[in-house]
Amino acid sequence: MKITVMIDQNRLKKPELLAPAGDYEKLKFAIAYGADAVYMGGPAFGLRAYAGNFTMEQMGEAIRYTHDAGHKLYVTVNIFAHEQDFEDLAEYLKQLESLGVDGAIVSDPGIIALAQETAPRLPLHLSTQMNSTNSYSMNFWLKQGIERVVLARELTIEEIQAVGEKVPGELEMFIHGAMCMSYSGRCLLSNYLTGRDANRGECTQPCRWGYGLVEEKRPGQVFPVEEDERGTYIFNSHDLCLLPYLPMLKPLGIESYKIEGRMKSIHYVSSTVKVYREAIDTLWEQGEEEFEAKLPGWLEEMDKVSHRDYSPGFLFGKPGAESHNIESSNYIRDYEFVAFGLASDNREHPQIPTSVKDEFSQGYWVEQRYHFKKGEMIEVFSPKEEPWSFEVRGIYTVEGEEVDVARHAKEILKLELPRPLPPFAILRRAKKDKK
């Protein structure tokens, strides 16, 4: 599809790559794989209550770690607050300000007003939950002291260009991740079915469940829910992937490209961040021809993480049937994340006996996440190297016992390897039916 975009040369600087940090571990991997900034949730007031999130002490450590690496950290405070939420909110906002958070992601006007009153030096970013779809509303919020607006995901590329020309503040947009079935994430389904309010951080993602149709007088007879030219299937939307369309987005001058996924795995965070880091750097530094040459390899990598079929979302207009999964609510998982390498900064891991801590910088130790065994082929994925594979030959516990199968989640193991693992290496295995 050919889209004509007017180019503002003053807004062509390389965008920030913003990655999800569901917990401290994922934060470190996001930064190692190339994120310019991360966003996370604190102990309350965010829309991912069931992500790992951070205590205030952990948040302080995370901010020091992120700033020492020369990057930024944003914290979600984007619930739609009820009256009782304000009892502790003022003190929380003051703490975020004192910790040096680079921005609070907010959506409730009451929270915005309270933040400006109690934590005036805390930068405020307007969440996608406020469904900012036009320049008038965006400019309104900029006048209220908002520094950055996260665009609604329902905007087309022409609309993004139009608001960009009229909005003087920073703009942020989602470029990858799960698409919510409700407008800008404002969903009541979780609350209705489970009593957990998605708009207060407790979403159970019922739009990802499998559904069928039951006629009330025929209990037990489940009919599949399908779609034809007359109707739209409302659940099981495809995942957003704007990787192939970055050359179209480049002239828009968006300040920040955001990846969704604070509840996703280390493998997901690492892989998506590395691909988009390489893609952005290539496009901005080497040009579109080199970008197109490398695109097939990046798309192949994106297929190795757990995902639904990809689509461009609303970028070219209202999505149709091609952007929904009609046959299944399942994810595509062609590769299994089995372990990650323990770099030197993992020496204080609680499972590590003092007798072996000095060995960790050698690059042969891993933390297991899914079972694997001798004789299997494992692929190593890391921040700076091209992927490489090895056959599992020796697996050893911290006590030195050799085992045939790594079967205990989060167990610390030493592997026989043809070469040391680089820091933050991901170990993954192709599923048997994909080999």
Side-chain angles (χ1 to χ4, degrees):
M1 178 178 294
K2 184 67 173 178
I3 300 290
T4 301
V5 177
M6 299 298 293
I7 297 177
D8 182 349
Q9 295 295 336
N10 295 321
R11 300 188 69 182
L12 286 186
K13 66 178 182 179
K14 189 185 298 185
E16 169 189 84
L17 179 58
L18 178 55
D23 56 34
Y24 199 2
E25 193 172 65
K26 295 172 188 175
L27 180 149
K28 290 182 176 181
F29 275 80
I31 291 175
Y33 277 82
D36 296 307
V38 294
Y39 64 101
M40 53 180 272
F45 310 118
L47 284 181
R48 287 293 180 269
Y50 301 108
N53 293 329
F54 293 73
T55 64
M56 295 309 295
E57 181 180 358
Q58 291 171 334
M59 192 181 298
E61 295 175 5
I63 290 170
R64 286 191 292 274
Y65 183 92
T66 305
H67 287 178
D68 287 347
H71 303 286
K72 292 184 178 182
L73 184 147
Y74 311 126
V75 176
T76 58
V77 194
N78 57 346
I79 63 166
F80 289 107
H82 288 228
E83 194 65 25
Q84 62 268 26
D85 292 317
F86 286 86
E87 295 176 5
D88 301 315
L89 193 52
E91 183 59 32
Y92 181 65
L93 292 168
K94 291 178 184 178
Q95 288 180 300
L96 295 185
E97 181 186 56
S98 65
L99 287 172
V101 169
D102 296 292
I105 305 170
V106 294
S107 58
D108 190 297
I111 293 178
I112 293 171
L114 183 63
Q116 291 170 335
E117 176 185 334
T118 61
R121 295 185 304 277
L122 178 64
L124 300 179
H125 296 182
L126 195 66
S127 171
T128 192
Q129 294 293 119
M130 280 304 289
N131 55 282
S132 297
T133 56
N134 63 80
S135 62
Y136 288 90
S137 64
M138 295 178 202
N139 283 322
F140 169 84
W141 287 113
L142 293 179
K143 292 176 182 177
Q144 312 312 308
I146 295 294
E147 294 188 9
R148 175 186 291 183
V149 175
V150 185
L151 298 174
R153 302 186 209 194
E154 292 80 11
L155 293 182
T156 67
I157 191 169
E158 292 92 348
E159 290 174 315
I160 295 172
Q161 179 190 0
V163 298
E165 293 171 352
K166 300 173 184 176
V167 177
E170 293 187 3
L171 299 179
E172 175 181 305
M173 67 177 292
F174 281 92
I175 59 168
H176 195 91
M179 291 287 285
C180 185
M181 58 158 284
S182 295
Y183 205 89
S184 291
R186 294 188 174 193
C187 182
L188 298 176
L189 193 61
S190 177
N191 204 354
Y192 181 79
L193 292 178
T194 69
R196 295 180 178 178
D197 191 346
N199 297 309
R200 302 186 74 195
E202 300 176 341
C203 183
T204 54
Q205 294 190 315
C207 60
R208 285 344 195 203
W209 302 349
Y211 290 88
L213 179 67
V214 178
E215 199 277 324
E216 64 178 349
K217 295 182 179 180
R218 295 175 174 80
Q221 296 185 34
V222 180
F223 302 92
V225 179
E226 296 182 350
E227 173 181 324
D228 60 21
E229 67 278 2
R230 288 180 170 269
T232 300
Y233 189 72
I234 63 172
F235 296 152
N236 302 329
S237 58
H238 284 189
D239 282 355
L240 178 70
C241 179
L242 299 188
L243 177 63
Y245 313 106
L246 290 187
M248 295 182 184
L249 299 180
K250 180 181 176 181
L252 303 180
I254 302 298
E255 277 77 14
S256 183
Y257 288 171
K258 189 172 192 175
I259 298 171
E260 181 276 339
R262 278 192 290 141
M263 297 182 71
K264 301 289 182 67
S265 70
I266 292 172
H267 180 213
Y268 169 91
V269 172
S270 302
S271 185
T272 54
V273 169
K274 182 178 181 180
V275 166
Y276 278 99
R277 174 79 280 148
E278 291 180 358
I280 291 169
D281 289 348
T282 299
L283 181 59
W284 262 259
E285 297 169 10
Q286 301 177 46
E288 187 171 348
E289 184 176 346
E290 187 65 19
F291 173 92
E292 295 295 343
K294 295 180 178 179
L295 181 59
W298 293 326
L299 291 173
E300 181 179 347
E301 175 57 40
M302 298 310 295
D303 282 338
K304 292 183 179 181
V305 299
S306 176
H307 67 286
R308 292 187 168 197
D309 289 327
Y310 292 127
S311 89
F314 289 79
L315 194 66
F316 303 119
K318 183 179 177 180
E322 74 284 353
S323 294
H324 299 269
N325 291 307
I326 300 173
E327 298 179 355
S328 171
S329 63
N330 296 329
Y331 283 83
I332 300 168
R333 294 185 175 95
D334 292 344
Y335 276 71
E336 293 163 329
F337 165 40
V338 299
F340 64 85
L342 292 173
S344 56
D345 67 343
N346 292 97
R347 286 161 56 92
E348 301 307 316
H349 196 294
Q351 295 186 46
I352 309 304
T354 303
S355 58
V356 301
K357 283 187 177 181
D358 290 339
E359 298 182 28
F360 271 70
S361 60
Q362 298 175 9
Y364 295 94
W365 291 84
V366 301
E367 180 173 313
Q368 185 258 19
R369 287 301 172 94
Y370 194 69
H371 64 82
F372 63 94
K373 61 185 179 181
K374 288 183 178 179
E376 292 183 328
M377 292 300 298
I378 301 294
E379 183 176 271
V380 177
F381 179 78
S382 62
K384 303 298 182 183
E385 297 180 349
E386 290 297 317
W388 53 276
S389 299
F390 68 94
E391 181 180 344
V392 180
R393 297 189 179 277
I395 309 173
Y396 303 90
T397 67
V398 292
E399 293 79 21
E401 177 187 0
E402 185 172 7
V403 295
D404 293 330
V405 183
R407 64 175 79 252
H408 304 295
K410 295 193 174 184
E411 185 175 13
I412 306 304
L413 300 165
K414 185 177 183 179
L415 304 182
E416 285 184 19
L417 295 166
R419 67 192 208 222
L421 296 172
F424 296 98
I426 296 289
L427 279 67
R428 60 194 182 190
R429 172 188 59 204
K431 295 180 73 170
K432 290 181 173 58
D433 58 351
K434 294 294 179 181
K435 292 181 179 177

